[in-house]
């Protein structure tokens, strides 16, 4: 079943860092805080943690099993493991989701580039919180600027993708992830010591369950899938490059832990700062872009050069974290086109980049020029986000857990989880029980509940 000549990740650390590089990105630092703000704070976070533990980790393991066993792109994987069945549609649906997410994700990734240059030119210095809001609105509503950044970002992703798997992805993740982590810790320290930060900390720690409804569950579940890169075969594609002795369970735990930790820390940067300067926590997608400049300016008001260095460094690392995520999405679609349609990798990559530029531009415009044009009350950006994170990813996750829990031969699952019996995995039975019953039923209940509300 091994396809010789297929690329592999070089080292153990490389495996974890590349997968964590895919998981950690704008989902943690941009989307998690704004969804937490939308859904009211601590109660959302608790439900989110439940989703990560109960659904996220087992489904991540399931994706790893499918990917490493089949050694193929996500749609091809089902053809290898379940030839002649309709399961390949799960893979195809994932490829579609990857393409859609990459389109709107690149818009926000482009914003981070604008902020890198704003920081480099010391453009944040001496402004009031009001002015940060105004300048963000002027920027994101501008028809040209965000589009130029978006195109540049996608081209950057493109060139890393065509250079190949190991060199591109592994090398970049190894340096950037630890740096980002350290900087985030520093910023948490700064943010919680701002005046009035206490109510932000309370917002994160004191749950108010009176506001919890089906919507909050769908939001938390969608965020868990989005942040962990699950439900569309992304980690499944990465796992197809894992080596035979990668410990799948341990890798899933490490990636889940790193990802969740960074999201929570991002919350501890954003909310104390937002409350400190009076920005509403439910400001939506703009939240981190209007809050963070305040953190840099206020926390280092006595040392402007520190504010300068930290803001440049932060936006550079944020853009790079976004890059390791866009690479992983691009890879899913590129590997699919390359292997299934027998076109060269380079050509496949150009199709993906071109298509995402097209839809990305439409998503970007939907936040400004074409704002009035909506479907189901949502512009293209919000629609792509909603359809992928809240429908396709959880649905994909549900089908993946059914595939591994029910369809796959138990012996095969056991071989993959224990590396042919060489590893002792104590949670084996629990994991299988979750994949068989708990995950599909829980996701089903959240969906049914939502249909009633609609
Ligand atoms: N998880 C990434 C983030 O948090 C985004 C991402 C990368 C993703 N690959 C994915 C989301 C696959 C869903 C599916 O920024």
């Amino acid at each position: 079943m091994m396809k010789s000549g297929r690329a592999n990740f070089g080292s153990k650390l490389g495996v974890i860092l590349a997968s964590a590089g895919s998981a950690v990105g704008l989902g943690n630092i941009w989307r998690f805080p704004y969804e937490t703000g939308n859904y009211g704070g601590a109660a959302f976070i608790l439900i989110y943690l439940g989703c990560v533990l109960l659904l996220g980790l087992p489904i991540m393991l399931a994706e790893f099993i499918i990917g490493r066993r089949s050694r193929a792109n996500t749609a091809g994987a089902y053809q290898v493991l379940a030839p002649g069945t309709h399961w390949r549609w799960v893979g195809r649906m994932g490829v579609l989701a990857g393409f859609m997410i990459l389109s709107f994700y690149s818009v926000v990734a482009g914003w981070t580039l604008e902020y890198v240059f704003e920081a480099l030119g010391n453009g944040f210095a001496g402004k009031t919180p009001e002015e940060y809001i105004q300048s963000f609105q002027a920027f994101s509503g501008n028809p040209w600027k965000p589009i130029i950044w978006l195109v540049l970002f996608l081209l950057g992703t493109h060139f890393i993708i065509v250079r190949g798997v190991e060199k591109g992805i592994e090398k970049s993740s190894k340096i950037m992830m630890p740096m980002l982590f350290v900087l985030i810790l520093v910023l948490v320290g700064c943010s919680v010591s701002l005046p009035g930060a206490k109510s932000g900390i309370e917002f994160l720690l004191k749950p108010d369950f009176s506001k919890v409804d089906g919507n909050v569950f769908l939001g938390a579940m969608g965020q868990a899938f989005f942040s962990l890169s699950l439900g569309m075969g992304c980690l499944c594609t990465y796992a197809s490059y894992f080596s035979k002795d990668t410990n799948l369970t341990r890798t899933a735990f490490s990636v889940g832990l790193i990802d969740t930790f960074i999201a929570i820390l991002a919350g501890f940067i954003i909310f104390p700062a937002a409350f400190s300067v009076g920005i509403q926590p439910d400001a939506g997608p703009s939240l981190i872009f209007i809050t963070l400049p305040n953190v840099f300016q206020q926390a280092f008001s006595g040392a402007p050069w520190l504010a300068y260095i930290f803001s440049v460094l932060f936006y550079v690392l944020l853009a790079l974290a976004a890059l390791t995520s866009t690479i992983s999405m691009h890879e899913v679609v590129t590997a699919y086109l390359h292997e299934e349609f027998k076109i060269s990798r380079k050509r496949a990559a150009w199709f993906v980049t071109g298509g995402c530029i097209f839809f990305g531009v439409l998503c970007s415009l939907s936040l400004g020029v074409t704002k009035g044009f909506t479907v189901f009350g949502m512009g293209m950006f919000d629609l792509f986000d909603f359809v992928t994170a809240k429908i396709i990813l959880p649905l994909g996750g549900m089908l993946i857990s059914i595939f591994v829990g029910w369809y796959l031969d138990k012996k095969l699952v056991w071989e993959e989880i224990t590396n042919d019996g060489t590893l002792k995995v104590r949670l084996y039975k629990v994991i299988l029980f979750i994949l068989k019953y708990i995950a599909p039923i829980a996701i089903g209940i959240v969906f049914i509940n939502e249909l009633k509300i609609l």
Side-chain angles (χ1 to χ4, degrees):
M1 220 178 282
M2 288 271 284
K3 271 192 203 167
S4 58
R6 221 158 177 275
N8 256 319
F9 285 125
S11 67
K12 244 187 220 164
L13 189 67
V15 166
I16 294 180
L17 286 183
S19 310
S22 162
V24 175
L26 297 171
N28 309 60
I29 295 164
W30 161 73
R31 201 174 187 280
F32 176 78
Y34 98 67
E35 287 287 79
T36 302
N38 271 346
Y39 291 117
F44 172 85
I45 297 184
L46 282 180
I47 299 171
Y48 172 78
L49 292 176
C51 289
V52 169
L53 210 63
L54 214 60
L55 305 175
L57 296 183
I59 292 176
M60 190 185 298
L61 184 62
E63 284 207 23
F64 283 168
I65 293 171
I66 298 171
R68 187 175 65 177
R69 185 69 177 204
S70 63
R71 300 243 169 242
N73 71 81
T74 177
Y78 293 94
Q79 255 142 309
V80 173
L81 298 174
T85 64
H86 287 300
W87 282 106
R88 65 179 181 280
W89 285 99
V90 178
R92 289 182 180 162
M93 185 172 83
V95 173
L96 176 72
F99 183 79
M100 289 173 75
I101 297 175
L102 185 54
S103 300
F104 77 84
Y105 196 93
S106 302
V107 175
V108 185
W111 296 350
T112 64
L113 288 185
E114 162 81 7
Y115 273 59
V116 168
F117 282 86
E118 192 77 11
L120 275 173
N122 208 12
F124 297 126
K127 283 191 181 158
T128 63
E130 256 318 298
E131 283 171 318
Y132 294 128
I133 297 180
Q134 279 161 6
S135 62
F136 178 78
Q137 281 167 348
F139 162 69
S140 64
N142 180 307
W144 293 109
K145 260 192 172 174
I147 290 178
I148 294 171
W149 291 126
L150 143 85
V151 172
L152 282 179
F153 204 94
L154 277 167
L155 289 178
T157 307
H158 178 92
F159 287 111
I160 296 184
I161 286 290
V162 291
R163 277 187 59 202
V165 178
E166 186 177 333
K167 271 184 276 161
I169 306 176
E170 199 176 333
K171 245 195 217 154
S172 33
S173 305
K174 260 186 191 163
I175 318 165
M176 288 158 6
M177 295 282 303
M179 264 175 84
L180 180 68
F181 188 69
V182 173
L183 192 66
I184 284 178
L185 282 180
V186 173
L187 290 178
V188 170
C190 296
S191 188
V192 296
S193 51
L194 289 174
K198 212 171 133 244
S199 29
I201 300 175
E202 269 173 18
F203 182 77
L204 288 166
L205 295 180
K206 267 205 189 142
D208 172 7
F209 287 103
S210 65
K211 292 196 200 94
V212 172
D213 57 13
N215 251 325
V216 178
F217 275 91
L218 184 68
M221 183 168 85
Q223 176 59 25
F225 280 95
F226 190 93
S227 188
L228 295 169
S229 302
L230 289 182
M232 55 151 280
C234 189
L235 294 181
C236 167
T237 300
Y238 268 26
S240 73
Y241 308 120
F242 286 3
S243 81
K244 256 193 109 39
D245 47 32
T246 303
N247 183 334
L248 298 185
T249 319
R250 193 178 295 161
T251 306
F253 265 108
S254 313
V255 174
L257 196 71
I258 295 171
D259 187 74
T260 308
F261 200 47
I262 293 197
I264 302 281
L265 289 179
F268 275 92
I269 301 177
I270 304 299
F271 290 106
F275 278 84
S276 163
V277 292
I279 287 171
Q280 290 300 320
D282 58 356
S286 63
L287 182 67
I288 70 159
F289 292 93
I290 57 183
T291 315
L292 272 173
N294 289 297
V295 179
F296 299 117
Q297 298 312 317
Q298 302 209 356
F300 304 106
S301 55
W305 60 276
L306 263 185
Y308 180 83
I309 293 178
F310 276 129
S311 55
V312 172
L313 206 59
F314 180 80
Y315 288 112
V316 169
L317 290 173
L318 184 60
L320 293 174
L323 186 63
T324 51
S325 300
T326 53
I327 290 169
S328 74
M329 287 179 260
H330 202 298
E331 175 63 25
V332 172
V333 193
T334 301
Y336 169 73
L337 294 178
H338 168 55
E339 290 177 9
E340 297 301 306
F341 295 93
K342 312 277 176 265
I343 54 176
S344 74
R345 221 182 123 81
K346 209 167 170 189
R347 188 166 234 216
W350 273 121
F351 272 118
V352 181
T353 306
C356 284
I357 288 178
F358 179 77
F359 285 103
V361 166
L362 294 182
C363 286
S364 180
L365 291 177
S366 78
L367 296 170
V369 187
T370 59
K371 212 177 199 153
F373 190 78
T374 58
V375 181
F376 300 121
M378 287 177 268
M380 185 115 159
F381 183 99
D382 295 328
L383 189 70
F384 270 32
D385 179 292
F386 181 85
V387 169
T388 51
K390 292 185 184 160
I391 300 177
I392 305 187
L393 299 183
L395 183 64
M398 182 184 195
L399 294 171
I400 287 167
S401 62
I402 294 174
F403 183 72
V404 173
W406 293 93
Y407 183 89
L408 277 187
D409 184 6
K410 289 292 112 17
K411 189 164 161 283
L412 182 158
V413 175
W414 181 82
E415 281 169 6
E416 286 302 318
I417 292 185
T418 64
N419 288 356
D420 294 327
T422 54
L423 300 172
K424 246 189 125 121
V425 179
R426 261 177 293 152
L427 288 175
Y428 178 74
K429 285 218 171 91
V430 181
I431 294 168
L432 223 62
F433 184 78
I434 294 179
L435 288 176
K436 257 184 134 145
Y437 302 102
I438 306 221
I441 293 173
I443 298 171
I445 290 175
V446 176
F447 272 149
I448 291 169
N449 198 352
E450 200 58 17
L451 287 179
K452 261 194 306 204
I453 293 169
L454 291 176

